[in-house]
Amino acid sequence: MARAVPSGAPPTILHVAAEAQVSKSTVSLVLQGSPRIPEATAERVRAAAARLGYVYNRRAAELRHKASNTIGVVINDLMNPFFAEVLVGLENRLVEAGYTVLMGHSHENLARQDQLLRSMREQNAAGLVLCPALGTPAALPRQVKAWGIPLTVIVRTLGSSGYDFAGSANAEGAALATRHLLGAGHRRIGFLGGVAGTMHAERLAGYRQALEERGIGFDAALVLQAHPNRQGGHDMLNALLDRGTGATAAVCYNDITAFGALSALGARGLRAGHDFALTGFDNVLDAAHANPPLSTVDIRPGELGAQAAALLLARIADPGLARQTYYAAPRLVLRQSG
């Protein structure tokens, strides 16, 4: 049970020492990561610090409240080229404004994401940009707000309020792609990629909406979920064809899923745009150079990153602003795949 800390006062290293029943110097060594302290003792100190809400700030005390020029950015999947392009736009805008970007990769791991965010807090980041890992609790923005650090969430939402957000009109984009395939004469259209979450639900809703507009019933056998990466796209395209669903086209959750699907078609001796139609979502730079070039929904990743940076900079300049949002309007880019 945490020991009392004077009302209104932040916990100090002395409070942690008393809570863990060790000396102040032991607490200091543990927080600095010294190997001289036995692991059992170190764990007791870390647990005491967590119970008290104590945060170790690596800067000297006299710099604790000095303005920082560092922005922390935590991304969920840097293997996806979409996020690399978002980061370029984000960093360019922040550097122009005089900030240095500290980037971390969560690998869709909630514990790693938490570690990265807390480390950036310790580094006294002036602001945070987060693309949440799958399963991130909706309460996270409130937690960051309690730290006193401005936050912009990108791409994936976390609830509907309490934070600035930059993303895309997902349902509208998926509906555009589906309508195009319907207009080309396809009636058995698959939906490939994504796992449970708001983005998947929104893009699937757009797909269903376009089918309903044409009076075509939704068939769950045409919808396959997997992690939205190349392997997932490859496996899902094969599964869709192996099921004997009669599918002649597919809307892919994102471009990297579509790249995997293109590979699966090639391995079967089929060509996208001739034997089977495919569309992606994002319009990463590689989409124009796929084999064949990929038809996709363009949400301009670099611009999205720049807009996210603009939201954060505005929040830093004026913490009292009303909630800000940016949704990239989707555009259909037609190439040879479908």
Side-chain angles (χ1 to χ4, degrees):
M1 182 175 179
R3 298 178 181 233
V5 176
S7 177
T12 68
I13 197 169
L14 291 174
H15 294 117
V16 176
E19 176 72 11
Q21 298 182 348
V22 296
S23 68
K24 174 184 174 182
S25 60
T26 295
V27 174
S28 180
L29 288 170
V30 170
L31 296 178
Q32 292 174 45
S34 171
R36 294 165 51 191
I37 307 300
E39 182 55 30
T41 302
E43 182 56 36
R44 193 163 80 247
V45 169
R46 288 192 289 266
R51 286 195 299 273
L52 294 172
Y54 176 80
V55 177
Y56 175 56
N57 194 325
R58 301 179 189 279
R59 293 173 181 253
E62 64 269 22
L63 297 178
R64 185 177 301 274
H65 300 293
K66 187 173 182 179
S68 167
N69 72 334
T70 299
I71 300 294
V73 179
V74 179
I75 297 297
N76 60 300
D77 182 13
L78 280 179
M79 298 298 289
N80 186 339
F82 167 78
F83 288 107
E85 294 181 32
V86 169
L87 277 171
V88 169
L90 182 74
E91 184 176 42
N92 284 344
R93 179 68 66 90
L94 292 173
V95 169
E96 287 173 1
Y99 288 91
T100 298
V101 175
L102 180 64
M103 196 280 297
H105 183 193
S106 73
H107 299 273
E108 299 284 17
N109 183 296
L110 292 177
R112 182 178 176 87
Q113 175 177 276
D114 184 66
Q115 178 186 19
L116 288 167
L117 291 172
R118 291 184 181 279
S119 177
M120 290 170 178
R121 180 189 181 191
E122 291 177 6
Q123 298 297 332
N124 201 28
L128 293 172
V129 177
L130 171 68
C131 183
L134 290 169
T136 297
L140 181 62
R142 293 196 297 273
Q143 177 184 336
V144 174
K145 184 177 181 180
W147 294 348
I149 302 177
L151 170 70
T152 295
V153 176
I154 62 172
V155 182
R156 293 175 176 168
T157 57
L158 285 174
S160 59
S161 63
Y163 58 90
D164 297 326
F165 177 75
S168 62
N170 291 308
E172 182 183 347
L176 280 175
T178 309
R179 290 186 192 114
H180 164 68
L181 294 174
L182 289 166
H186 299 282
R187 292 297 178 268
R188 299 291 289 168
I189 301 171
F191 184 90
L192 307 181
V195 294
T198 303
M199 276 183 62
H200 179 266
E202 290 173 348
R203 294 183 184 183
L204 183 60
Y207 160 83
R208 296 186 66 159
Q209 176 190 340
L211 293 177
E212 290 169 3
E213 290 170 357
R214 294 294 185 94
I216 298 175
F218 174 75
D219 184 350
L222 292 168
V223 177
L224 292 92
Q225 291 187 12
H227 282 290
N229 53 32
R230 290 177 188 268
Q231 189 63 53
H234 185 279
D235 293 346
M236 284 181 293
L237 191 284
N238 280 326
L240 180 68
L241 297 182
D242 290 342
R243 284 183 179 184
T245 59
T248 61
V251 172
C252 294
Y253 175 83
N254 60 9
D255 287 347
I256 197 168
T257 297
F259 295 156
L262 287 173
S263 173
L265 286 173
R268 287 173 171 259
L270 303 175
R271 182 167 176 80
H274 182 268
D275 304 302
F276 192 94
L278 275 179
T279 62
F281 197 116
D282 290 339
N283 196 29
V284 299
L285 294 175
D286 287 345
H289 306 289
N291 184 21
L294 181 67
S295 294
T296 187
V297 176
D298 182 17
I299 59 171
R300 301 165 299 287
E303 182 181 332
L304 194 159
Q307 291 292 339
L311 297 185
L312 184 63
L313 292 170
R315 177 65 57 194
I316 291 171
D318 184 359
L321 284 175
R323 186 186 185 224
Q324 309 172 95
T325 58
Y326 167 80
Y327 289 91
R331 305 169 186 165
L332 191 61
V333 176
L334 297 179
R335 299 190 179 103
Q336 296 174 26
S337 70

